[in-house]
Amino acid sequence: MWTFYLSLTVLLLILTILPKIQHSHWIFRVPEFGKIQITFFTVFTFILGFFVKDSAYFWYFQGLLILMFIHHSIILIKYTPLYPVKKFSQKYKSSDKVHFISANVYQFNTEYDRFIQLIEKCKPQMFLTMESNGDWEKALRKLEKEYPFQHKVTLENTYGMHFYSKLKIESSQTHYFVADDIPSIEAHLKTEDGFSFVFFGVHPPPPSPTEEETSKERDGDLLSAAKRITEIKKPVIVVGDFNNVAWSKSSILFRKTSHLIDPRIGRSFVSTFHAKYRLLRFPIDLMFHSEEIFIEDLKTLENFGSDHLPVFCEFFIDYEQEEEQEERIDYATAEEKAEAEEMIEEGKEEDGERDAVVTEG
């Protein structure tokens, strides 16, 4: 048992150190996803140590586990209700509440009716699907009467994206920031009570042994979106399967570069993947918003057969209170801006291997 305890301690140390090495290979980036699980196993290993102690170095290893726990906890506590964040309430000059669902439907999931039933049950004003191909587009046609405004990017390479809205889409466009088969959707909408805002949907490829070898395309795509967002002079909300976690360096750089707020801070992790394995669930479907947008509710919904849980969000727009929320924005330094530009260029140079079959409407 001592060997098991020692092996666990060394493994946890390796998984803690790897993300600190700023290399884009998936080996260094993937451990970032499991920080919650690593923290849990650090506590488990610490407790296990008292049952198997069999060395004069026992307290050195226990001390190391305590340090690792403190390190992870300092980062993770920001994404819990224990972290103090000022709460705001809707006022008479605020917009009406707007709610949407964002869902990676998993292209090979054929349980279309379960997702449609979810939409009909929750009745969001907007919803975004990712990994939606031609079959998904066909299945979702029955919702088009209820959601007359749409922006569709149909792909068969697991990067298709569809946006449906009851609110009027005044204009929309598809961006291909780093590759011609990785789309992002920028939709300019107006609420029924006259508030304009921009909905930005993203889904960059993940660094993993089965997909992209590095995080270069992911990071380049996200930071390109951040750069575009700074040019928009309206309230903005960015949603999607980021294939990233909020505490990673590239996510923080995205937040600083885009001048947006992470609503998970002071709220919860909102873990979405993998939908079928609760203990191995990571918060990779992220969301960021500008200071004019105030989040009322942010949570996951029931599984509909995908490998991701859908995310439900309710928010309102308020120009009167935005100055009070602006203090939550962190701005990138000149060095960080230069780093972001470098990562964008690296993302464009990377050549991901995906089948590109694109239709758009």
Side-chain angles (χ1 to χ4, degrees):
M1 284 294 287
W2 172 256
T3 303
F4 177 67
Y5 162 81
L6 188 59
S7 299
L8 265 181
T9 303
V10 172
L11 177 61
L12 291 167
L13 179 62
I14 292 170
L15 293 175
T16 299
I17 291 173
L18 281 176
K20 299 298 179 185
I21 301 171
Q22 293 308 313
H23 194 286
S24 60
H25 195 279
W26 67 263
I27 288 176
F28 300 94
R29 302 279 60 87
V30 167
E32 292 175 318
F33 289 40
K35 186 174 288 291
I36 299 169
Q37 288 79 8
I38 291 169
T39 306
F40 171 82
F41 277 106
T42 299
V43 174
F44 168 79
T45 306
F46 179 80
I47 295 171
L48 178 66
F50 290 104
F51 293 93
V52 301
K53 54 183 178 180
D54 188 31
S55 169
Y57 297 103
F58 167 72
W59 279 110
Y60 289 101
F61 293 116
Q62 290 292 79
L64 182 60
L65 289 166
I66 291 171
L67 289 176
M68 284 192 283
F69 174 75
I70 292 171
H71 166 73
H72 293 302
S73 297
I74 288 172
I75 294 170
L76 292 179
I77 198 169
K78 290 181 65 176
Y79 304 93
T80 73
L82 297 175
Y83 190 80
V85 171
K86 185 177 180 180
K87 307 298 182 183
F88 296 90
S89 59
Q90 195 176 18
K91 297 189 176 180
Y92 74 97
K93 287 188 177 180
S94 305
S95 73
D96 292 336
K97 291 179 182 178
V98 181
H99 44 281
F100 67 84
I101 288 175
S102 169
N104 183 322
V105 297
Y106 182 55
Q107 180 172 302
F108 308 104
N109 171 26
T110 58
E111 298 187 64
Y112 311 117
D113 286 341
R114 287 181 67 185
F115 180 72
I116 290 169
Q117 288 167 10
L118 179 69
I119 296 298
E120 291 174 339
K121 173 185 173 183
C122 297
K123 294 180 170 53
Q125 288 159 293
M126 309 169 290
F127 67 91
L128 175 73
T129 63
M130 291 152 286
E131 290 201 29
S132 40
N133 62 355
D135 291 336
W136 269 96
E137 181 180 327
K138 183 178 179 180
L140 293 173
R141 283 177 188 162
K142 62 175 64 178
L143 293 172
E144 290 186 2
K145 185 177 180 180
E146 188 75 15
Y147 294 86
F149 304 100
Q150 303 126 27
H151 187 103
K152 305 174 184 178
V153 186
T154 307
L155 285 161
E156 301 296 333
N157 65 349
T158 72
Y159 289 94
M161 189 179 289
H162 292 68
F163 180 62
Y164 297 81
S165 177
K166 294 180 181 179
L167 303 178
K168 182 181 179 181
I169 298 179
E170 297 185 311
S171 65
S172 62
Q173 60 181 308
T174 306
H175 295 285
Y176 297 94
F177 289 121
V178 298
D180 61 6
D181 58 348
I182 303 175
S184 297
I185 292 176
E186 177 186 332
H188 293 244
L189 301 101
K190 181 172 282 188
T191 65
E192 293 177 358
D193 53 344
F195 287 77
S196 295
F197 69 100
V198 176
F199 185 98
F200 221 101
V202 299
H203 182 205
S208 79
T210 58
E211 295 197 48
E212 301 305 312
E213 185 177 334
T214 74
S215 64
K216 289 181 180 179
E217 277 191 309
R218 180 198 68 183
D219 298 341
D221 190 70
L222 291 175
L223 291 167
S224 295
K227 190 175 177 181
R228 165 60 188 152
I229 287 161
T230 59
E231 300 169 356
I232 299 171
K233 306 306 178 185
K234 298 177 184 178
V236 181
I237 191 160
V238 186
V239 180
D241 176 4
F242 278 59
N243 278 312
N244 207 354
V245 284
W247 47 80
S248 74
K249 182 177 180 179
S250 56
S251 277
I252 293 170
L253 194 55
F254 170 87
R255 175 167 55 83
K256 289 183 175 182
T257 304
S258 62
H259 309 160
L260 297 180
I261 296 166
D262 182 354
R264 280 171 167 73
I265 294 175
R267 188 181 298 269
S268 65
F269 298 121
V270 194
S271 298
T272 55
F273 176 87
H274 197 287
K276 295 179 181 178
Y277 310 112
R278 184 178 294 273
L279 295 179
L280 293 174
R281 193 172 291 171
F282 312 129
I284 64 173
D285 292 83
L286 305 184
M287 188 183 81
F288 297 86
H289 62 89
S290 57
E291 65 269 25
E292 307 94 342
I293 289 177
F294 296 81
I295 307 302
E296 280 280 290
D297 194 13
L298 181 64
K299 61 185 179 183
T300 57
L301 298 175
E302 65 199 64
N303 186 14
F304 58 90
S306 174
D307 53 355
H308 288 245
L309 293 176
V311 175
F312 174 89
C313 177
E314 185 174 60
F315 68 91
F316 62 87
I317 301 169
D318 191 320
Y319 292 101
E320 297 289 320
Q321 301 185 80
E322 66 174 282
E323 288 187 6
E324 296 182 58
Q325 189 166 235
E326 193 174 359
E327 64 187 29
R328 294 182 63 185
I329 297 175
D330 292 326
Y331 294 93
T333 64
E335 183 180 345
E336 287 172 329
K337 289 178 182 178
E339 185 177 8
E341 290 291 342
E342 183 180 344
M343 292 168 77
I344 289 170
E345 291 306 313
E346 287 180 349
K348 291 177 179 178
E349 291 171 5
E350 194 76 358
D351 184 19
E353 297 179 2
R354 293 171 297 275
D355 294 328
V357 181
V358 185
T359 60
E360 185 177 340

